[in-house]
Coordinates of all heavy atoms in Angstrom, one line a residue:
M154 N 3.4 -9.6 -5.0 CA 3.5 -9.4 -3.6 C 2.2 -8.7 -3.1 O 1.7 -9.1 -2.0 CB 4.7 -8.5 -3.3 CG 4.9 -8.2 -1.8 SD 5.1 -9.7 -0.8 CE 6.6 -10.3 -1.4
L155 N 1.6 -7.8 -3.9 CA 0.4 -7.1 -3.5 C -0.8 -8.1 -3.3 O -1.5 -8.0 -2.4 CB 0.0 -6.0 -4.5 CG -1.2 -5.2 -4.1 CD1 -1.1 -4.5 -2.8 CD2 -1.5 -4.2 -5.2
E156 N -0.8 -9.1 -4.2 CA -1.9 -10.1 -4.1 C -1.7 -10.9 -2.8 O -2.7 -11.2 -2.1 CB -1.9 -11.0 -5.3 CG -2.2 -10.3 -6.6 CD -3.6 -9.8 -6.6 OE1 -4.5 -10.4 -6.1 OE2 -3.8 -8.7 -7.1
I157 N -0.5 -11.3 -2.5 CA -0.3 -12.1 -1.3 C -0.6 -11.3 -0.1 O -1.3 -11.8 0.8 CB 1.2 -12.6 -1.3 CG1 1.5 -13.6 -2.4 CG2 1.5 -13.2 0.1 CD1 2.9 -13.9 -2.6
L158 N -0.2 -10.1 0.0 CA -0.5 -9.2 1.2 C -1.9 -8.9 1.3 O -2.5 -8.9 2.4 CB 0.3 -7.9 1.1 CG 1.8 -8.1 1.3 CD1 2.5 -6.8 1.0 CD2 2.2 -8.6 2.6
S159 N -2.6 -8.8 0.1 CA -4.1 -8.5 0.2 C -4.8 -9.7 0.7 O -5.8 -9.6 1.5 CB -4.6 -8.2 -1.3 OG -4.0 -7.0 -1.7
L160 N -4.4 -10.9 0.3 CA -5.0 -12.1 0.9 C -4.7 -12.3 2.4 O -5.6 -12.7 3.1 CB -4.5 -13.4 0.1 CG -5.1 -13.6 -1.3 CD1 -4.3 -14.7 -2.0 CD2 -6.5 -13.9 -1.2
I161 N -3.6 -12.0 2.8 CA -3.3 -12.0 4.2 C -4.1 -11.1 5.0 O -4.7 -11.4 6.0 CB -1.8 -11.8 4.5 CG1 -0.9 -12.9 4.0 CG2 -1.5 -11.5 6.0 CD1 0.6 -12.6 4.0
R162 N -4.3 -9.8 4.5 CA -5.1 -8.8 5.1 C -6.5 -9.2 5.2 O -7.2 -8.9 6.1 CB -4.9 -7.5 4.4 CG -5.6 -6.3 5.1 CD -5.2 -5.0 4.5 NE -5.9 -4.0 5.2 CZ -6.9 -3.3 4.7 NH1 -7.4 -3.6 3.5 NH2 -7.5 -2.3 5.4
S163 N -7.0 -9.9 4.2 CA -8.4 -10.2 4.1 C -8.7 -11.6 4.8 O -9.8 -12.2 4.6 CB -9.0 -10.2 2.7 OG -8.3 -11.2 1.9
G164 N -7.7 -12.2 5.4 CA -7.9 -13.5 6.1 C -8.0 -14.6 5.1 O -8.6 -15.6 5.4
G165 N -7.4 -14.5 3.9 CA -7.5 -15.5 2.9 C -8.7 -15.5 2.0 O -8.8 -16.4 1.1
D166 N -9.6 -14.6 2.3 CA -10.8 -14.5 1.4 C -10.5 -13.7 0.2 O -10.2 -12.5 0.2 CB -11.9 -13.7 2.3 CG -13.2 -13.7 1.5 OD1 -13.3 -14.3 0.4 OD2 -14.2 -13.2 2.1
P167 N -10.6 -14.3 -1.0 CA -10.2 -13.7 -2.3 C -11.3 -12.7 -2.8 O -11.0 -11.9 -3.7 CB -10.1 -14.8 -3.2 CG -11.0 -15.9 -2.7 CD -10.9 -15.7 -1.2
R168 N -12.4 -12.6 -2.1 CA -13.5 -11.7 -2.6 C -13.0 -10.2 -2.6 O -13.3 -9.4 -3.6 CB -14.8 -11.8 -1.8 CG -15.5 -13.1 -2.2 CD -16.8 -13.2 -1.4 NE -16.4 -13.4 0.0 CZ -17.2 -13.5 1.0 NH1 -18.5 -13.3 0.8 NH2 -16.8 -13.7 2.3
W169 N -12.3 -9.8 -1.6 CA -11.8 -8.4 -1.5 C -10.8 -8.2 -2.7 O -10.8 -7.1 -3.3 CB -11.1 -8.1 -0.2 CG -10.7 -6.7 0.0 CD1 -11.4 -5.6 -0.1 CD2 -9.3 -6.3 0.3 NE1 -10.7 -4.5 0.1 CE2 -9.4 -4.9 0.3 CE3 -8.1 -6.9 0.4 CZ2 -8.2 -4.1 0.6 CZ3 -7.0 -6.2 0.7 CH2 -7.1 -4.8 0.8
C170 N -9.9 -9.1 -2.9 CA -8.9 -9.0 -4.0 C -9.5 -8.9 -5.3 O -9.0 -8.2 -6.2 CB -7.9 -10.2 -3.9 SG -7.0 -10.3 -2.4
R171 N -10.6 -9.6 -5.5 CA -11.3 -9.6 -6.8 C -12.1 -8.4 -7.0 O -12.4 -8.0 -8.2 CB -12.1 -10.8 -6.9 CG -11.3 -12.1 -7.1 CD -12.2 -13.3 -7.2 NE -11.4 -14.5 -7.2 CZ -11.9 -15.7 -6.7 NH1 -13.1 -15.8 -6.2 NH2 -11.1 -16.7 -6.7
S172 N -12.6 -7.8 -6.0 CA -13.6 -6.7 -6.1 C -12.9 -5.3 -6.0 O -13.5 -4.3 -6.5 CB -14.7 -6.8 -5.0 OG -14.1 -6.6 -3.7
V173 N -11.7 -5.2 -5.5 CA -11.1 -3.9 -5.3 C -9.8 -3.9 -6.2 O -9.0 -4.8 -6.1 CB -10.6 -3.6 -3.9 CG1 -9.9 -2.3 -3.7 CG2 -11.9 -3.7 -2.9
P174 N -9.7 -2.9 -7.1 CA -8.6 -2.9 -8.0 C -7.2 -2.7 -7.3 O -7.2 -2.2 -6.2 CB -8.8 -1.7 -8.9 CG -10.2 -1.2 -8.6 CD -10.6 -1.8 -7.4
N175 N -6.2 -3.1 -7.9 CA -4.8 -3.0 -7.3 C -4.5 -1.6 -6.9 O -3.9 -1.4 -5.8 CB -3.7 -3.4 -8.3 CG -3.6 -4.9 -8.4 OD1 -4.1 -5.6 -7.6 ND2 -3.0 -5.3 -9.5
W176 N -4.8 -0.6 -7.7 CA -4.4 0.8 -7.3 C -5.2 1.3 -6.1 O -4.8 2.3 -5.5 CB -4.6 1.7 -8.5 CG -6.0 1.8 -9.1 CD1 -7.1 2.5 -8.7 CD2 -6.5 1.0 -10.2 NE1 -8.2 2.3 -9.4 CE2 -7.9 1.3 -10.4 CE3 -5.9 0.1 -11.0 CZ2 -8.7 0.8 -11.4 CZ3 -6.7 -0.5 -12.0 CH2 -8.1 -0.1 -12.2
D177 N -6.3 0.7 -5.7 CA -7.0 1.1 -4.5 C -6.5 0.3 -3.3 O -6.5 0.8 -2.2 CB -8.5 0.8 -4.7 CG -9.2 2.0 -5.4 OD1 -8.7 3.1 -5.4 OD2 -10.3 1.7 -5.9
R178 N -6.1 -1.0 -3.5 CA -5.6 -1.8 -2.4 C -4.2 -1.4 -2.0 O -3.9 -1.3 -0.8 CB -5.6 -3.3 -2.8 CG -7.0 -3.9 -2.8 CD -6.9 -5.4 -3.1 NE -6.8 -5.6 -4.5 CZ -6.0 -6.5 -5.1 NH1 -5.2 -7.3 -4.3 NH2 -5.9 -6.7 -6.4
G179 N -3.3 -1.1 -3.0 CA -2.0 -0.8 -2.7 C -1.5 0.3 -3.6 O -0.7 0.1 -4.5
P180 N -2.0 1.6 -3.3 CA -1.6 2.7 -4.2 C -0.1 3.0 -4.2 O 0.5 2.8 -3.2 CB -2.5 3.8 -3.7 CG -2.8 3.5 -2.3 CD -2.8 2.0 -2.2
W181 N 0.3 3.6 -5.3 CA 1.8 4.0 -5.3 C 2.0 5.3 -4.5 O 1.3 6.3 -4.8 CB 2.2 4.2 -6.8 CG 2.3 3.0 -7.6 CD1 2.1 1.7 -7.2 CD2 2.8 2.9 -8.9 NE1 2.4 0.9 -8.2 CE2 2.8 1.6 -9.3 CE3 3.2 3.9 -9.8 CZ2 3.2 1.1 -10.5 CZ3 3.6 3.4 -11.1 CH2 3.6 2.1 -11.4
L182 N 2.9 5.2 -3.6 CA 3.2 6.3 -2.8 C 3.8 7.5 -3.5 O 3.5 8.7 -3.2 CB 4.1 5.9 -1.7 CG 4.5 6.9 -0.6 CD1 3.2 7.3 0.1 CD2 5.5 6.3 0.3
E183 N 4.5 7.3 -4.6 CA 5.2 8.4 -5.3 C 4.3 9.2 -6.2 O 4.8 10.2 -6.7 CB 6.4 7.9 -6.1 CG 6.1 6.8 -7.1 CD 6.4 5.4 -6.5 OE1 6.2 5.2 -5.3 OE2 6.8 4.6 -7.3
T184 N 3.0 8.9 -6.3 CA 2.1 9.8 -7.1 C 1.2 10.5 -6.1 O 0.9 10.0 -5.1 CB 1.3 8.9 -8.1 OG1 0.4 8.1 -7.4 CG2 2.2 8.1 -9.0
L185 N 0.7 11.7 -6.5 CA -0.1 12.4 -5.7 C -1.5 11.7 -5.5 O -2.0 11.6 -4.3 CB -0.4 13.8 -6.3 CG -1.2 14.8 -5.5 CD1 -0.6 15.0 -4.1 CD2 -1.4 16.1 -6.2
L186 N -2.0 11.2 -6.5 CA -3.3 10.4 -6.4 C -3.1 9.2 -5.5 O -3.9 8.9 -4.6 CB -3.8 10.0 -7.8 CG -5.1 9.2 -7.8 CD1 -6.2 10.0 -7.2 CD2 -5.4 8.8 -9.2
G187 N -2.0 8.5 -5.7 CA -1.7 7.3 -4.9 C -1.5 7.7 -3.4 O -2.0 7.0 -2.5
Y188 N -0.8 8.8 -3.1 CA -0.7 9.3 -1.8 C -2.0 9.6 -1.1 O -2.3 9.2 0.0 CB 0.2 10.5 -1.8 CG 0.4 11.2 -0.4 CD1 1.2 10.6 0.6 CD2 -0.3 12.3 -0.1 CE1 1.3 11.2 1.8 CE2 -0.2 12.9 1.1 CZ 0.6 12.3 2.1 OH 0.7 12.9 3.3
R189 N -2.9 10.2 -1.9 CA -4.2 10.6 -1.3 C -5.0 9.3 -1.1 O -5.7 9.2 -0.1 CB -4.9 11.5 -2.3 CG -4.4 12.9 -2.3 CD -5.1 13.8 -3.2 NE -4.5 15.1 -3.2 CZ -4.7 16.0 -4.2 NH1 -5.4 15.7 -5.3 NH2 -4.1 17.2 -4.1
R190 N -4.9 8.4 -2.0 CA -5.7 7.1 -1.8 C -5.1 6.3 -0.6 O -5.9 5.8 0.2 CB -5.6 6.2 -3.0 CG -6.4 6.7 -4.1 CD -6.3 5.8 -5.3 NE -6.9 6.4 -6.5 CZ -7.8 5.8 -7.2 NH1 -8.2 4.6 -7.0 NH2 -8.3 6.5 -8.3
A191 N -3.8 6.3 -0.4 CA -3.2 5.6 0.7 C -3.6 6.2 2.0 O -3.9 5.5 3.0 CB -1.7 5.6 0.6
R192 N -3.7 7.5 2.1 CA -4.1 8.2 3.3 C -5.5 7.9 3.6 O -5.9 7.9 4.8 CB -3.9 9.7 3.2 CG -2.5 10.2 3.0 CD -1.8 10.3 4.3 NE -2.5 11.2 5.2 CZ -2.0 11.7 6.3 NH1 -0.8 11.3 6.6 NH2 -2.7 12.5 7.1
A193 N -6.4 7.7 2.6 CA -7.8 7.5 2.8 C -8.1 6.0 3.2 O -9.1 5.7 3.7 CB -8.6 7.9 1.6
N194 N -7.2 5.1 2.9 CA -7.4 3.7 3.1 C -7.4 3.4 4.6 O -6.7 4.0 5.4 CB -6.4 2.8 2.5 CG -6.6 2.7 1.0 OD1 -7.7 3.1 0.5 ND2 -5.7 2.1 0.3
A195 N -8.2 2.4 5.1 CA -8.2 2.0 6.5 C -6.9 1.3 6.8 O -6.2 0.7 6.0 CB -9.4 1.1 6.7
R196 N -6.5 1.4 8.1 CA -5.3 0.8 8.6 C -5.6 -0.7 8.9 O -6.7 -1.0 9.3 CB -4.8 1.5 9.8 CG -4.3 2.9 9.5 CD -3.8 3.5 10.7 NE -3.4 4.9 10.3 CZ -2.4 5.5 10.9 NH1 -1.8 5.0 11.9 NH2 -2.1 6.7 10.5
P197 N -4.7 -1.6 8.8 CA -3.3 -1.4 8.2 C -3.4 -1.2 6.7 O -4.1 -1.9 6.0 CB -2.6 -2.7 8.6 CG -3.7 -3.7 8.7 CD -4.9 -3.0 9.1
R198 N -2.6 -0.3 6.3 CA -2.6 0.1 4.9 C -1.5 -0.7 4.1 O -0.5 -1.1 4.6 CB -2.2 1.6 4.7 CG -3.2 2.5 5.3 CD -2.7 3.9 5.1 NE -3.6 4.9 5.7 CZ -3.2 5.7 6.6 NH1 -2.0 5.8 7.0 NH2 -4.1 6.5 7.2
L199 N -1.9 -1.0 2.8 CA -0.9 -1.5 1.9 C -0.5 -0.4 1.0 O -1.4 0.2 0.4 CB -1.6 -2.7 1.1 CG -2.1 -3.9 1.9 CD1 -2.8 -4.9 0.9 CD2 -0.9 -4.6 2.5
I200 N 0.8 -0.2 0.8 CA 1.3 0.9 0.0 C 2.4 0.3 -0.9 O 3.2 -0.4 -0.4 CB 1.8 2.1 0.8 CG1 0.7 2.6 1.8 CG2 2.4 3.1 0.0 CD1 1.2 3.6 2.8
S201 N 2.3 0.7 -2.2 CA 3.3 0.2 -3.1 C 4.2 1.4 -3.4 O 3.8 2.6 -3.4 CB 2.6 -0.2 -4.4 OG 1.8 -1.3 -4.2
S202 N 5.4 1.1 -3.8 CA 6.4 2.1 -4.2 C 7.5 1.5 -5.1 O 7.8 0.4 -4.9 CB 7.0 2.8 -3.0 OG 7.9 3.8 -3.4
H203 N 8.0 2.3 -6.0 CA 9.1 2.0 -6.8 C 10.3 2.9 -6.5 O 11.3 2.9 -7.2 CB 8.7 2.0 -8.3 CG 7.8 1.0 -8.7 ND1 6.4 1.2 -8.8 CD2 7.9 -0.3 -9.0 CE1 5.8 0.1 -9.2 NE2 6.7 -0.8 -9.3
L204 N 10.2 3.6 -5.4 CA 11.3 4.5 -5.0 C 12.5 3.7 -4.5 O 12.3 2.7 -3.8 CB 10.8 5.5 -4.0 CG 9.8 6.5 -4.4 CD1 9.4 7.3 -3.1 CD2 10.4 7.5 -5.4
P205 N 13.7 4.1 -4.8 CA 14.8 3.5 -4.1 C 14.9 3.8 -2.6 O 14.4 4.9 -2.2 CB 16.1 4.1 -4.9 CG 15.6 5.2 -5.7 CD 14.1 5.1 -5.8
V206 N 15.4 3.0 -1.8 CA 15.4 3.1 -0.4 C 16.0 4.5 0.0 O 15.7 5.0 1.0 CB 16.0 1.9 0.3 CG1 17.5 1.9 0.1 CG2 15.7 1.9 1.8
Q207 N 17.0 5.0 -0.7 CA 17.7 6.2 -0.4 C 16.7 7.4 -0.4 O 17.0 8.4 0.2 CB 18.8 6.5 -1.4 CG 19.9 5.4 -1.4 CD 19.6 4.3 -2.4 OE1 18.5 4.1 -2.9 NE2 20.6 3.6 -2.7
L208 N 15.6 7.3 -1.1 CA 14.7 8.5 -1.2 C 13.6 8.4 -0.2 O 12.8 9.3 -0.1 CB 14.1 8.5 -2.6 CG 15.1 8.8 -3.8 CD1 14.4 8.9 -5.1 CD2 15.8 10.1 -3.5
F209 N 13.5 7.4 0.6 CA 12.5 7.3 1.6 C 12.8 8.3 2.8 O 14.0 8.5 3.1 CB 12.4 5.9 2.2 CG 11.5 5.0 1.4 CD1 11.8 4.5 0.2 CD2 10.2 4.7 1.9 CE1 11.0 3.7 -0.5 CE2 9.4 3.8 1.2 CZ 9.7 3.4 0.0
P210 N 11.9 8.9 3.4 CA 12.2 9.8 4.5 C 12.8 9.1 5.7 O 12.4 7.9 5.9 CB 10.8 10.4 4.8 CG 9.8 9.6 4.2 CD 10.5 8.8 3.1
R211 N 13.6 9.7 6.4 CA 14.3 9.1 7.6 C 13.2 8.6 8.6 O 13.5 7.6 9.3 CB 15.3 10.0 8.2 CG 16.5 10.2 7.3 CD 17.5 11.1 8.0 NE 18.5 11.5 7.0 CZ 19.7 11.7 7.3 NH1 20.1 11.6 8.6 NH2 20.6 11.9 6.4
A212 N 12.2 9.3 8.7 CA 11.1 9.0 9.7 C 10.5 7.6 9.4 O 10.1 6.9 10.3 CB 10.0 10.0 9.7
F213 N 10.6 7.2 8.2 CA 10.0 5.9 7.8 C 10.8 4.8 8.5 O 10.2 3.8 8.9 CB 10.1 5.7 6.3 CG 9.8 4.4 5.8 CD1 8.5 4.0 5.7 CD2 10.8 3.4 5.5 CE1 8.1 2.7 5.3 CE2 10.5 2.2 5.1 CZ 9.1 1.8 4.9
F214 N 12.1 4.9 8.6 CA 12.9 3.8 9.2 C 12.7 3.7 10.7 O 13.0 2.7 11.3 CB 14.3 4.0 8.8 CG 14.5 4.0 7.3 CD1 14.7 5.1 6.6 CD2 14.5 2.8 6.6 CE1 14.8 5.1 5.2 CE2 14.6 2.7 5.3 CZ 14.8 3.9 4.5
G215 N 12.2 4.8 11.3 CA 11.9 4.7 12.8 C 10.5 4.4 13.1 O 10.1 4.3 14.2
S216 N 9.7 4.1 12.0 CA 8.3 3.8 12.2 C 8.1 2.3 12.4 O 9.0 1.5 12.3 CB 7.5 4.3 11.0 OG 7.7 3.5 9.9
R217 N 6.9 1.9 12.7 CA 6.5 0.5 12.8 C 6.1 -0.1 11.5 O 5.5 -1.2 11.5 CB 5.5 0.4 13.9 CG 5.9 0.8 15.2 CD 4.9 0.6 16.3 NE 3.5 0.8 15.8 CZ 2.5 0.9 16.5 NH1 2.6 0.7 17.8 NH2 1.3 1.0 16.0
A218 N 6.4 0.5 10.4 CA 5.9 0.0 9.1 C 6.7 -1.3 8.8 O 7.8 -1.5 9.1 CB 6.2 1.0 8.0
K219 N 6.0 -2.2 8.1 CA 6.6 -3.4 7.7 C 7.0 -3.3 6.2 O 6.2 -2.8 5.4 CB 5.6 -4.6 7.8 CG 5.0 -4.7 9.2 CD 5.8 -5.6 10.1 CE 5.1 -6.0 11.3 NZ 5.0 -4.9 12.3
V220 N 8.1 -3.7 5.9 CA 8.6 -3.6 4.5 C 8.9 -5.0 3.9 O 9.6 -5.8 4.6 CB 9.9 -2.7 4.4 CG1 10.4 -2.6 3.0 CG2 9.6 -1.4 5.0

């Protein structure tokens, strides 16, 4: 899924996908390092997570985030 979203974000150009590692393109939200990387990435951000939906903050569901 991250590869597909990365291609969409780059307009179909695979150079960005090939030059930037997965953990920089879509860092894991549940790790401190991933959270810091996600905050530093330009918008729109790609964020990965393995958290169950019950652990997401309530504010997330009122945001404009795409899931």
